[in-house]
């Protein structure tokens, strides 16, 4: 299982955000991310789904 990062847009407020899911492959990660986004009324940006550790580290560093 890999950690997959993704970005999304808030359908109500129009803001952007990011989160991550654990999945084996990219298709599974997109499916899980899409389910998460639909539950919270967000729109997934499918092109943003990746498992690059460098991207993850950059995202986390914004919150330290």
């Amino acid at each position: 299982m890999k950690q997959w990062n993704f970005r999304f847009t808030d359908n109500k407020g129009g803001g952007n955000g990011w989160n991550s899911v654990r999945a084996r492959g990219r298709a599974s990660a997109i499916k899980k991310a899409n389910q998460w986004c639909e539950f919270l009324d967000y729109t997934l940006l499918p092109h943003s789904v990746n498992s690059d550790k460098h991207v993850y580290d950059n995202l986390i560093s914004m919150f330290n």
Side-chain angles (χ1 to χ4, degrees):
M1 297 281 262
K2 287 183 180 179
Q3 189 80 17
W4 294 84
N5 313 302
F6 61 92
R7 292 182 311 144
F8 58 86
T9 302
D10 184 347
N11 292 332
K12 294 179 183 175
N16 295 321
W18 71 274
N19 204 340
S20 63
V21 293
R22 294 195 51 80
R24 288 183 186 222
R26 188 169 192 275
S28 179
I30 290 173
K31 181 179 177 182
K32 286 182 177 184
N34 211 15
Q35 289 173 343
W36 183 88
C37 286
E38 286 176 358
F39 179 74
L40 296 171
D41 196 24
Y42 296 151
T43 300
L44 174 66
L45 304 173
H47 66 277
S48 70
V49 177
N50 71 78
S51 63
D52 187 354
K53 181 162 174 29
H54 182 67
V55 172
Y56 181 77
D57 290 342
N58 284 339
L59 291 169
I60 292 295
S61 72
M62 289 189 279
F63 296 96
N64 287 335

